[in-house]
């Protein structure tokens, strides 16, 4: 087959893992794989740069969103290769690219005890994009997930960061009883406001412990 | 409406991504001036690029049309085409008035160029396909000027298609200078938008996906070039972009046997415009070069070659079979000279580095096969590392050898094929070059 990203022919590598563990198939070549950078152990909440807790998260912990996230991490840096990937996946809508990180996500989340909750998309946005990009990452990795939240349309343009943080009801609870432990999953962690707002909404409904996982930390 | 007609004539475009207000497009559709087709046909073929392999036509659950939908991966960079997207084209009789054209060129054609030029013109007149089989440096572009002008004057729409953006960028200013009154559009990935109805379109073969039944004359430059010769989709795009039975002129330094058989009319030019023969490649063994690079060593014979060029201050190009090998080699060769640069197909600074080499600001460039065409560097010396690798077929090797000795001031130039054992394609390349030179002595 050809690499999903660079289109080069990939010799079929029958490695022992795929033979014995029935792992997910690699859809990109080793060269493209190595262009992505894993994040080393960083901030205990978002996985960003910093020991113990990063400066972004420290600021959050002085706001009304303090303590809504108990722990978390991000898997990859937002380097040029990752920007290119996300562009092709989300904006060119090349849905098969959901499979690129399936092996990594499966490895990371297969023994997860908490219930996986993807950050939802707003209905209008979903129609425009034609596919829920966060869910598809989990689907590709054959990971189960449950929705407890819906998302209202947010117009970020023109609003200051403070205003955005103040928009309390970006996420709404869908009425399903929540579990004790939740793992919130998103594709890209930028300012942290999405995760914080979703976590706050879930905790308000009685979730005790929230871990977050982002594929990419910007 | 006039600007919509100019834009959409002969084009297929995503309905939702035109540069015009949605209401105007909707109105033109209602009036029957624009026709609509589905992005992916019932036979699961992309209506834009004609791709139909199951690896490229992907099914998914679509949140827009709420059902199973298909999209095309092949042409996705031009905006995704799916079952529920619509392609539009201008479908009513043309109201575009013919333009007047002028021809500003005071160069001279050599007698061989002149003959080929007239032969092309005759083929176009008789609506026959034609092959211009001319060695690198024969002056292929110039000989096309008169036939292009003749076609334009007849009110025909002409397309010059080339496999890569570099070639489009090289051809565009030359053609714009020669035909100053003609509306010319240059189309490649992310090219700036141009207005009006272009009588002459210079496009990458990829951009032809966006045309249909558009051109009275198709000129396909470097008709053998990767990826054209390998990509059936691009071949089909040429057929789709021309009007029915419009003649195609293929231009190539290394046409495949198949092309030579298929095209009825052929003009051959085996002389370079400066009259000197093509440099004949020399074979030099470089045993175990791949293992050497992997272990962080440069084979001695290659060091000697590079050192000699640095010493003599001759600009050089070293071609490698893979990007990996370039990456292994570049730090090692930079120990010989820190300014040696490496380029590959996705390198955004490619043009700049080549320019520096041409201006002698850097001693040499390591490159993948991407640089095999479209560059002239006076006195350049050429080496191929791993000429035995399959990526270097005879056509590619001939093109690479053709980089040397292009300028009249330096008609010679060394061409060395370093190898791990001579293979047939290397022999074939050398034999063909010798035969071209024999032809020029006749
Ligand atoms: Zn790849
Ligand atoms: Zn943090
Ligand atoms: Zn297509
Ligand atoms: Zn659809």
């Amino acid at each position: 087959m050809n690499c999903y990203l660079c289109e080069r022919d990939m010799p079929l590598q029958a490695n022992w893992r795929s033979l014995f563990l029935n792992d997910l198939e690699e859809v990109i070549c080793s060269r493209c794989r190595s262009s992505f950078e894993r994040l080393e152990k960083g901030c205990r909440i978002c996985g960003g740069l910093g020991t113990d807790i990063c400066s972004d998260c420290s600021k959050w912990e002085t706001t009304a969103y303090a303590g809504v996230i108990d722990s978390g991490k991000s898997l990859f840096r937002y380097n040029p290769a990752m920007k290119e990937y996300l562009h092709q996946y989300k904006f060119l809508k090349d849905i098969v690219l959901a499979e690129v990180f399936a092996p990594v996500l499966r490895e990371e989340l297969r023994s997860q005890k908490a219930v996986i909750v993807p950050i939802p998309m707003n209905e209008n946005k979903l129609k425009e994009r034609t596919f829920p990009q966060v869910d598809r990452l989990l689907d590709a990795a054959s990971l189960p997930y449950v929705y407890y939240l819906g998302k209202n349309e947010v117009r970020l343009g023109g609003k200051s960061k403070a205003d955005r943080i103040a928009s309390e009801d970006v996420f709404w609870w869908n009425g399903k009883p929540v579990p004790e432990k939740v793992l919130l999953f998103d594709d890209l962690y930028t300012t942290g406001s999405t995760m914080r707002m979703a976590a706050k909404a879930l905790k308000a409904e009685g979730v005790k412990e929230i871990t977050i996982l982002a594929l990419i930390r910007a | 409406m006039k600007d919509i007609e100019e834009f959409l004539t002969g084009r297929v475009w995503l309905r939702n991504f035109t540069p015009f207000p949605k209401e105007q497009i909707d109105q033109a559709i209602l009036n029957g001036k624009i026709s609509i087709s589905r992005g992916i046909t019932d036979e699961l073929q992309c209506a834009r690029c004609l791709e139909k392999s199951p690896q490229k036509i992907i099914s998914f659950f679509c949140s827009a049309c709420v059902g199973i939908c298909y999209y095309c991966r092949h042409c996705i960079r031009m905006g995704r085409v799916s079952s529920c997207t619509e392609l539009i084209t201008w479908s009513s009789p043309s109201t575009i008035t013919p333009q007047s054209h002028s021809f500003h060129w005071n160069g001279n054609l050599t007698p061989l160029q002149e003959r080929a030029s007239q032969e092309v013109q005759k083929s176009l007149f008789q609506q026959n396909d034609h092959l211009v089989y001319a060695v690198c440096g024969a002056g292929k572009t110039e000989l096309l000027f008169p036939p292009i002008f003749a076609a334009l004057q007849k009110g025909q729409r002409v397309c010059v298609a080339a496999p890569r953006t570099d070639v489009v960028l090289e051809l565009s200013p030359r053609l714009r200078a020669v035909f100053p009154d003609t509306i010319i559009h240059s189309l490649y990935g992310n090219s700036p938008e141009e207005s009006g109805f272009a009588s002459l379109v210079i496009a990458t073969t990829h951009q032809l996906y966006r045309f249909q039944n558009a051109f009275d004359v198709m000129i396909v430059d470097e008709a053998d070039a990767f990826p054209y010769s390998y990509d059936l989709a691009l071949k089909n795009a040429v057929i789709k972009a021309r009007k029915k039975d419009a003649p195609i002129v293929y231009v190539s330094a290394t046409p495949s046997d198949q092309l030579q058989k298929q095209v009825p009319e052929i003009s051959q030019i085996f002389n370079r415009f400066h009259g000197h023969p093509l440099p004949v490649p020399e074979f030099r063994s470089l045993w175990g070069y791949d293992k050497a690079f992997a272990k962080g060593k440069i084979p001695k014979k290659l060091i000697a070659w590079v050192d000699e060029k640095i010493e003599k201050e001759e600009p050089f190009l070293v071609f490698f079979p893979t990007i990996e090998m370039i990456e292994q080699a570049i730090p090692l060769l930079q120990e010989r000279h820190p300014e040696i640069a490496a380029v590959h197909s996705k390198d955004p600074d490619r043009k700049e580095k080549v320019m520096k080499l041409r201006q002698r600001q850097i001693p040499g460039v390591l490159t993948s096969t991407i640089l095999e065409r479209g560059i002239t560097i006076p006195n350049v010396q050429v080496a191929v590392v791993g000429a035995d690798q399959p990526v270097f077929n005879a056509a590619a090797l001939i093109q690479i050898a053709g980089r040397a000795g292009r300028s009249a001031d330096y008609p010679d130039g060394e061409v060395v094929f370093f190898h791990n054992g001579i293979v047939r394609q290397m022999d074939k390349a050398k034999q063909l070059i010798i035969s071209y030179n024999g032809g020029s002595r006749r």
Side-chain angles (χ1 to χ4, degrees):
Chain A
M1 65 173 282
N2 290 46
C3 171
Y4 276 11
L5 294 176
C6 71
E7 294 293 328
R8 290 201 306 176
D9 193 34
M10 288 199 296
L12 270 181
Q13 299 146 331
N15 63 37
W16 67 272
R17 290 181 61 90
S18 61
L19 283 175
F20 295 103
L21 296 176
N22 199 13
D23 261 10
L24 294 158
E25 197 189 353
E26 274 287 357
V27 295
I28 60 170
C29 70
S30 53
R31 194 187 142 77
C32 287
R33 176 72 56 206
S34 66
S35 66
F36 300 117
E37 289 173 82
R38 280 296 287 259
L39 274 162
E40 298 306 319
K41 209 170 154 42
C43 168
R44 65 183 153 85
I45 292 175
C46 73
L49 290 178
T51 46
D52 185 44
I53 186 164
C54 72
S55 56
D56 280 5
C57 290
S58 312
K59 271 184 219 136
W60 278 111
E61 291 302 317
T62 64
T63 67
Y65 292 87
V68 295
I69 299 171
D70 296 278
S71 63
K73 72 191 239 189
S74 307
L75 298 177
F76 290 94
R77 280 178 202 278
Y78 200 34
N79 68 0
M82 191 55 97
K83 279 184 190 153
E84 176 64 30
Y85 165 81
L86 211 58
H87 175 79
Q88 191 170 339
Y89 179 50
K90 272 165 88 163
F91 297 100
L92 297 180
K93 306 172 192 168
D94 196 0
I95 302 169
V96 292
L97 296 194
E99 293 169 44
V100 168
F101 293 105
V104 186
L105 283 173
R106 180 148 181 80
E107 190 66 37
E108 188 67 33
L109 293 175
R110 70 198 309 174
S111 49
Q112 179 62 37
K113 297 278 189 306
V115 178
I116 300 173
V117 178
I119 293 289
M121 265 170 106
N122 165 265
E123 279 297 320
N124 292 336
K125 185 87 191 164
L126 180 58
K127 265 204 153 354
E128 195 184 303
R129 178 141 306 151
T130 74
F131 69 107
Q133 86 266 358
V134 180
D135 300 7
R136 288 293 170 266
L137 291 170
L138 296 170
D139 288 336
S142 303
L143 293 161
Y145 54 88
V146 187
Y147 295 119
Y148 297 98
L149 300 174
K151 194 179 183 190
N152 290 318
E153 200 162 3
V154 245
R155 302 205 183 279
L156 295 180
K159 279 193 177 180
S160 71
K161 192 174 171 183
D163 287 339
R164 267 183 269 155
I165 292 165
S167 49
E168 287 282 334
D169 38 25
V170 167
F171 293 101
W172 41 268
W173 178 48
N174 67 9
K176 204 181 282 178
V178 296
E180 286 215 338
K181 288 186 182 176
V182 159
L183 180 129
L184 264 178
F185 175 68
D186 204 356
D187 51 356
L188 179 65
Y189 184 108
T190 313
T191 62
S193 54
T194 304
M195 286 285 203
R196 292 269 167 178
M197 287 188 287
K200 194 163 188 231
L202 285 170
K203 283 216 161 157
E205 299 307 326
V207 176
K208 296 276 178 298
E209 192 183 324
I210 293 181
T211 303
I212 63 167
L213 180 73
L215 179 66
I216 309 154
R217 176 69 165 93
Chain B
M1 200 61 80
K2 179 169 165 284
D3 48 352
I4 297 182
E5 176 179 356
E6 288 174 345
F7 183 85
L8 278 179
T9 297
R11 277 202 170 155
V12 271
W13 211 262
L14 280 169
R15 179 175 179 173
N16 296 334
F17 289 93
T18 70
F20 306 101
K22 187 179 173 303
E23 299 72 37
Q24 285 183 22
I25 296 290
D26 293 352
Q27 191 57 47
I29 291 170
L30 276 176
N31 296 346
K33 298 211 177 280
I34 290 176
S35 67
I36 300 179
S37 58
R38 284 178 59 187
I40 306 284
T41 67
D42 289 338
E43 293 75 37
L44 300 186
Q45 182 175 34
C46 174
R48 183 169 60 190
C49 74
L50 308 181
E51 177 68 55
K52 55 184 174 190
S53 86
Q55 284 82 39
K56 294 284 178 186
I57 305 294
I58 310 287
S59 77
F60 71 108
F61 184 85
C62 177
S63 306
C65 62
V66 197
I68 298 296
C69 201
Y70 293 85
Y71 77 93
C72 174
R73 286 202 81 207
H74 187 85
C75 61
I76 197 166
R77 295 199 170 270
M78 301 179 156
R80 196 184 70 175
V81 166
S82 68
S83 311
C84 63
T85 51
E86 291 169 325
L87 294 168
I88 54 174
T89 190
W90 192 261
S91 60
S92 51
S94 175
T95 61
I96 296 167
T97 46
Q99 297 164 24
S100 63
H101 305 277
S102 64
F103 184 31
H104 285 232
W105 189 59
N106 45 23
N108 285 314
L109 296 178
T110 65
L112 278 173
Q113 281 177 311
E114 181 66 44
R115 194 177 75 196
S117 188
Q118 283 169 8
E119 287 167 352
V120 171
Q121 201 157 324
K122 188 168 159 222
S123 287
L124 293 185
F125 185 71
Q126 299 173 338
Q127 304 248 41
N128 284 328
D129 289 355
H130 194 105
L131 167 64
V132 178
Y133 181 2
V135 297
C136 316
K140 287 168 285 196
T141 311
E142 292 81 0
L143 72 84
L144 294 170
F145 294 162
I148 291 174
F149 183 55
L152 290 172
Q153 277 196 309
K154 276 198 276 177
Q156 295 187 319
R157 195 178 196 190
V158 180
C159 175
V160 180
R164 290 200 331 264
T165 301
D166 303 36
V167 183
V168 172
L169 290 174
E170 201 231 21
L171 289 175
S172 291
R174 294 169 71 188
L175 288 167
R176 282 168 197 265
V178 171
F179 303 113
D181 297 336
T182 305
I183 296 182
I184 301 179
H185 288 180
S186 304
L187 305 173
Y188 46 91
N190 293 322
S191 54
E193 201 186 298
E194 294 170 286
S195 61
F197 176 81
S199 301
L200 177 57
V201 170
I202 310 162
T204 58
T205 19
H206 259 96
Q207 294 295 323
L208 295 183
Y209 293 154
R210 289 173 155 164
F211 288 90
Q212 184 172 302
N213 199 17
F215 300 107
D216 303 287
V217 172
M218 285 288 313
I219 297 171
V220 183
D221 196 11
E222 307 199 330
D224 51 282
F226 178 87
Y228 184 81
S229 62
Y230 297 121
D231 199 332
L232 192 65
L234 291 177
K235 217 167 248 177
N236 290 335
V238 171
I239 306 291
K240 171 171 158 264
R242 68 165 176 176
K243 287 185 186 160
K244 192 170 176 296
D245 300 326
I248 304 175
V249 179
Y250 298 95
V251 182
S252 174
T254 50
S256 64
D257 296 343
Q258 195 202 350
L259 191 62
Q260 293 184 57
K261 280 198 200 100
Q262 167 202 327
V263 180
E265 305 294 334
I266 301 181
S267 305
Q268 293 184 339
I269 310 181
F270 294 157
N271 279 75
R272 294 189 144 186
F273 74 94
H274 55 49
H276 294 269
L278 295 157
V280 178
E282 183 199 322
F283 296 167
R284 251 180 239 178
S285 61
L286 199 68
W287 311 119
Y289 58 84
D290 43 350
K291 291 187 195 82
F293 285 121
K295 273 191 262 169
K297 291 199 189 95
I298 328 173
K300 281 206 185 70
K301 283 186 194 168
L302 183 61
I303 298 187
W305 190 85
V306 167
D307 282 353
E308 186 197 311
K309 305 308 157 206
I310 295 171
E311 168 88 15
K312 288 189 185 163
E313 298 187 358
E314 291 170 340
F316 64 87
L317 288 170
V318 187
F319 290 82
F320 285 85
T322 62
I323 303 175
E324 283 83 352
M325 211 179 280
I326 294 176
E327 284 170 350
Q328 288 162 355
I330 186 71
L332 302 171
L333 284 169
Q334 279 173 343
E335 287 172 21
R336 314 311 294 182
H337 194 299
E339 306 273 16
I340 294 176
V343 303
H344 57 83
S345 58
K346 286 187 178 165
D347 190 344
D349 302 327
R350 204 166 89 209
K351 258 177 250 146
E352 207 190 318
K353 288 173 184 170
V354 173
M355 196 54 78
K356 278 186 176 169
L357 181 66
R358 192 177 293 167
Q359 293 165 352
R360 306 283 180 95
Q361 292 171 18
I362 58 175
V365 165
L366 315 191
T367 175
S368 57
T369 53
I370 191 75
L371 267 192
E372 76 198 42
R373 290 151 201 278
I375 54 162
T376 302
I377 296 161
N379 201 25
V380 74
Q381 312 293 308
V382 175
V384 179
V385 172
D388 52 312
Q389 300 276 339
V391 51
F392 297 118
N393 60 20
L397 289 170
I398 291 170
Q399 287 284 354
I400 288 171
R403 295 299 103 211
R406 283 174 74 106
S407 80
D409 295 339
Y410 300 95
D412 306 320
E414 193 177 25
V415 178
V416 179
F417 291 173
F418 288 106
H419 62 85
N420 210 355
I422 296 168
V423 297
R424 222 189 123 250
Q425 295 293 318
M426 291 167 62
D427 264 333
K428 193 176 164 195
K430 189 169 180 172
Q431 289 315 317
L432 277 169
I433 289 171
I434 291 168
S435 78
Y436 296 158
N437 287 344
S440 68
R441 270 198 298 276
R442 251 198 326 254

